[in-house]
Amino acid sequence: MKKTALITGISGQDGAYLANFLLKKNYRVIGTDRRSARDDKWRLKYFNIENKIIFEDMDLNEITQIQRIFSSYRIDEVYNFAAQSFVKSSFSNPLTTADTTAIGCLRILEVIRNLKKRPKFYQASSSEMFGEVLEIPQTEKTAFNPQSPYAISKLFSHFITKNYREAYNIYTSSGICFNHESPLRGEEFVTRKITSCLSKIQSGEISHFELGNINAKRDWGFAGDYVEGMWKALQVKKPDDFVFSTGRNHSIKNFIDEARKYLNFETKWHGSGLSTQLRRKNNNQIILKINKKFFRPTEVNLLIGKNSKAKKVLKWSPKTNFKELVKMMMLEDLKKHSR
Ligand code: NDP
Ligand code: GDP
């Protein structure tokens, strides 16, 4: 018998990578998303799997839609990826962020609690919950100190997932994922913004771009590696929380330095602080400036995770390092924007 997995947020980066991974493992994959006029499934087309998935409309803010899906299919595993996932937007949309990212998770758990045959449940928790970090590196035991409506919403869903495990004996696990990127990452996130904008500058589509705080450090891994860990988190006997990270971090500036190596022209840094600029070496043209508008009201300055529990219990470790990740993203974007 084929196993059936339900992925919420199928149109996002992780939805595409996990769907591709599960289809290779011979799962039946149901992908849910809220209805959208811009439904072009570009990430699923990247893997050529858009015809292999059963699509259902399921807005996490509508409990009746969630009930309908769970009563229509016999589901073995649920991966809850749907969320308002962009930290910056959570400051301008705190209520919708909380409704989807926090309460949306609880709505699914409530539906599952009332089922006779309960599926296993994976929650996409986030390293943003560590916020202004209280320990370096961060582990499953590190205290949380969230710094945004997004992180606070994720903290609610993280703890309610643990509570439903302990209170109702439902198989629920959380992956505390550090930032994971890929050529399918949304262009609003800093890594993809950098690779996409640099590629557009090389092709002449734009002359320059702007960023906020380039000194923040992130523990960046590859999404393709991380979805394997998420699946493994639901295959072990005992549900639990697991950190998925690489154990290394780099600043945004380091990411730019690695990315600019792939351009066909040379660049040079000028100035410091808010006056930092990246310019073309040959004609001094500015290609990157700092703009205060991209700073956040409260920032997460440093994240670095320790993945020894996932290594030991799940036999998981990331395969792709920082340089390989930047190269993969730059080469894909340069190809996309080549003339
Ligand atoms: P994306 O932003 O790429 O995808 C988020 C998905 O959620 C999209 O499919 C989006 O749909 C959907 N969604 C948003 N609001 C609703 C709603 N009200 N009802 C139903 N669906 C909704 O995120 P990723 O794939 O990168 O991440 C997957 C999950 O992992 C997210 O929960 C994210 O917060 C979390 N996470 C991600 C990390 C990362 O580095 N990528 C790190 C740690 C956690 P639409 O296309 O319509 O907007
Ligand atoms: P996050 O870790 O989930 O917030 O992932 P992002 O990719 O959105 O941001 C990572 C870091 O990059 C944060 O510290 C941001 O403040 C910083 N950053 C600097 N400039 C930008 C920008 O223009 N866009 C984004 N998204 N982040 C930026």
Side-chain angles (χ1 to χ4, degrees):
M1 268 280 276
K2 267 191 175 196
K3 275 194 183 172
T4 299
L6 183 141
I7 303 174
T8 74
I10 190 75
S11 63
Q13 169 189 259
D14 290 6
Y17 275 95
L18 182 70
N20 189 44
F21 176 84
L22 293 178
L23 287 167
K24 283 190 184 145
K25 290 212 166 286
N26 203 28
Y27 274 70
R28 177 170 73 141
V29 176
I30 302 165
T32 73
D33 207 352
R34 55 191 170 164
R35 209 206 65 77
S36 157
R38 280 182 306 160
D39 184 16
D40 66 355
K41 300 189 172 52
W42 67 276
R43 290 185 171 101
L44 300 169
K45 284 181 184 158
Y46 177 87
F47 292 115
N48 205 11
I49 55 171
E50 72 276 19
N51 297 325
K52 298 185 180 147
I53 292 166
I54 303 167
F55 292 99
E56 291 282 0
D57 282 348
M58 189 175 100
D59 194 313
L60 282 202
N61 302 350
E62 290 293 341
I63 193 152
T64 50
Q65 291 186 8
I66 304 174
Q67 282 162 335
R68 184 183 63 78
I69 305 297
F70 278 85
S71 59
S72 307
Y73 298 95
R74 200 182 152 97
I75 298 161
D76 299 290
E77 295 170 14
V78 177
Y79 296 87
N80 183 31
F81 292 166
Q84 191 303 99
S85 67
F86 187 38
V87 171
K88 183 93 173 20
S89 298
S90 77
F91 287 102
S92 38
N93 304 299
L95 294 168
T96 49
T97 300
D99 201 9
T100 306
T101 308
I103 306 300
C105 169
L106 176 56
R107 288 191 189 98
I108 300 179
L109 287 170
E110 261 304 272
V111 170
I112 291 178
R113 184 168 74 85
N114 288 302
L115 292 175
K116 271 205 193 95
K117 188 194 170 286
R118 294 158 163 179
K120 293 180 176 178
F121 178 83
Y122 172 88
Q123 171 57 21
S125 290
S126 167
S127 56
E128 287 289 322
M129 301 186 307
F130 295 119
E132 193 54 40
V133 299
L134 300 173
E135 188 181 25
I136 297 174
Q138 296 87 55
T139 75
E140 294 80 3
K141 293 197 172 129
T142 301
F144 298 114
N145 188 17
Q147 298 294 314
S148 64
Y150 166 77
I152 292 161
S153 302
K154 280 284 180 189
L155 196 53
F156 174 89
S157 48
H158 181 70
F159 276 127
I160 202 72
T161 297
K162 186 168 183 283
N163 183 247
Y164 272 51
R165 180 194 313 155
E166 291 165 356
Y168 305 118
N169 201 25
I170 304 176
Y171 188 117
T172 67
S173 286
S174 285
I176 307 174
C177 284
F178 283 65
N179 299 50
H180 44 281
E181 320 291 312
S182 74
L184 303 187
R185 184 67 144 150
E187 289 190 29
E188 66 274 32
F189 295 93
V190 77
T191 55
R192 186 78 207 295
K193 181 171 172 182
I194 293 165
T195 60
S196 170
C197 287
L198 287 178
S199 303
K200 285 181 191 162
I201 288 168
Q202 176 157 307
S203 69
E205 287 164 71
I206 58 171
S207 62
H208 71 281
F209 71 113
E210 296 176 334
L211 291 173
N213 174 15
I214 59 171
N215 298 315
K217 289 186 169 176
R218 289 291 182 274
D219 179 334
W220 282 298
F222 171 49
D225 293 343
Y226 283 43
V227 296
E228 183 168 2
M230 299 171 196
W231 172 75
K232 285 186 164 183
L234 293 195
Q235 311 311 312
V236 285
K237 215 168 173 193
K238 197 170 147 276
D240 209 339
D241 303 328
F242 298 98
V243 160
F244 293 115
S245 67
T246 70
R248 287 171 194 269
N249 67 5
H250 299 87
S251 67
I252 319 296
K253 200 170 180 203
N254 295 152
F255 190 100
I256 298 164
D257 282 335
E258 198 52 42
R260 69 194 176 111
K261 289 180 188 166
Y262 297 93
L263 295 172
N264 65 8
F265 57 91
E266 288 199 82
T267 54
K268 198 169 181 276
W269 289 107
H270 287 256
S272 61
L274 289 174
S275 315
T276 306
Q277 293 171 343
L278 189 68
R279 297 191 192 180
R280 281 183 191 256
K281 228 176 186 175
N282 63 346
N283 60 8
N284 234 7
Q285 187 201 324
I286 297 169
I287 61 166
L288 165 62
K289 291 195 274 197
I290 304 299
N291 187 333
K292 266 190 162 172
K293 106 174 174 205
F294 294 107
F295 281 69
R296 292 158 185 196
T298 40
E299 176 63 290
V300 170
N301 290 301
L302 175 158
L303 291 172
I304 182 163
K306 191 170 176 192
N307 61 20
S308 29
K309 183 170 169 186
K311 262 192 183 136
K312 190 168 168 228
V313 180
L314 305 178
K315 314 272 179 281
W316 176 86
S317 44
K319 298 177 188 116
T320 313
N321 69 28
F322 176 70
K323 280 178 186 273
E324 290 164 341
L325 174 68
V326 181
K327 183 176 179 186
M328 180 198 313
M329 294 178 71
M330 267 311 277
L331 294 186
E332 282 277 346
D333 269 326
L334 284 169
K335 194 166 79 185
K336 202 167 169 182
H337 295 285
S338 66
R339 295 181 161 210

